[in-house]
């Protein structure tokens, strides 16, 4: 709605035609309701990750991911959730967003699959976050990870990528 939960607003309205007022000014004060959170369990599991250049050296189909880290993500969520949304952002930016801004951004990106493979930059600090949506359109509280920085030295062997992710969704940059 663009309105902040549990906040008092004053609405001012009047009729007009051809730019001239046709009614008196009417005022209505109201307070928005508190946020209603979905009663669902939701968390993200950040799986093994792989050096995209090493993966591309084994299979050239992954050449677009050279210089990145490929990360497996699984959303653990109640089966009654109607949608799930998750992403990551630079950890330095995360604290500046409100709950409503995070939800708006997640929903704008679109619903996510339960599992997926994503490409990120090495040595950038990331926060992963997400929510689940219930059948009434309510969202869970935002789940967020601790800050994660991917390094080449801590990547899993590229050879394991193909067996570990044989059934995973397509890579998302």
């Amino acid at each position: 709605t663009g309105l902040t939960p549990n906040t008092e607003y004053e609405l001012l309205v009047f009729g007009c035609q051809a730019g001239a007022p046709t009614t008196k000014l009417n005022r209505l004060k109201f307070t928005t309701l508190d946020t209603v959170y979905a009663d669902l369990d939701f968390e993200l599991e950040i799986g093994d990750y792989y050096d995209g250049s090493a993966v591309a050296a084994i299979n050239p189909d992954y050449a677009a991911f050279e210089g990145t880290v490929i990360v497996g993500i699984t959303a653990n969520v109640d089966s009654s959730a109607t949608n799930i949304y998750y992403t990551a952002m630079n950890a330095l930016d995360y604290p500046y967003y409100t709950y409503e801004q995070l939800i708006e951004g997640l929903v704008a990106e679109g619903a996510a699959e339960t599992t997926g493979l994503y490409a990120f930059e090495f040595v950038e600090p990331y926060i992963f976050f997400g929510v689940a949506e219930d059948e009434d359109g309510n969202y869970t509280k935002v789940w967020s990870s601790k800050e994660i920085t991917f390094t080449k030295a801590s990547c899993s062997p590229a050879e394991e990528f193909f067996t570990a992710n044989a059934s995973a969704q397509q890579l998302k940059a």
Side-chain angles (χ1 to χ4, degrees):
T1 65
L3 301 180
T4 304
N6 197 25
T7 302
E8 185 175 299
Y9 290 91
E10 184 172 12
L11 181 65
L12 304 173
V13 297
F14 63 91
C16 69
Q17 183 175 12
T22 58
T23 66
K24 66 178 184 154
L25 180 66
N26 293 288
R27 297 173 185 255
L28 173 68
K29 286 186 180 183
F30 65 95
T31 301
T32 53
L33 300 174
D34 287 333
T35 300
V36 176
Y37 295 107
D39 186 22
L40 301 169
D41 289 327
F42 177 86
E43 69 177 346
L44 295 176
E45 181 182 326
I46 314 305
D48 291 339
Y49 55 95
Y50 308 88
D51 180 341
S53 296
V55 170
I58 296 170
N59 183 338
D61 290 346
Y62 292 89
F65 298 96
E66 289 187 24
T68 67
V69 57
I70 301 172
V71 182
I73 301 174
T74 301
N76 298 313
V77 62
D78 290 348
S79 61
S80 61
T82 58
N83 288 302
I84 56 173
Y85 306 90
Y86 59 86
T87 195
M89 72 167 54
N90 188 295
L92 302 175
D93 296 331
Y94 183 80
Y96 298 103
Y97 288 87
T98 65
Y99 173 81
E100 291 78 16
Q101 290 169 323
L102 291 173
I103 297 293
E104 184 178 307
L106 286 166
V107 173
E109 285 189 29
E113 300 291 332
T114 305
T115 61
L117 295 170
Y118 295 81
F120 296 99
E121 300 296 320
F122 282 108
V123 301
E124 290 289 327
Y126 290 99
I127 298 276
F128 290 80
F129 61 97
V131 296
E133 182 180 8
D134 68 15
E135 62 185 8
D136 296 325
N138 298 316
Y139 301 98
T140 58
K141 291 185 178 183
V142 175
W143 179 93
S144 62
S145 69
K146 293 180 181 179
E147 184 177 307
I148 300 172
T149 301
F150 301 107
T151 63
K152 287 188 179 196
S154 57
C155 286
S156 296
E159 298 77 17
E160 294 177 8
F161 171 82
F162 299 98
T163 54
N165 297 291
S167 65
Q169 300 295 321
Q170 191 158 354
L171 280 163
K172 300 176 179 66

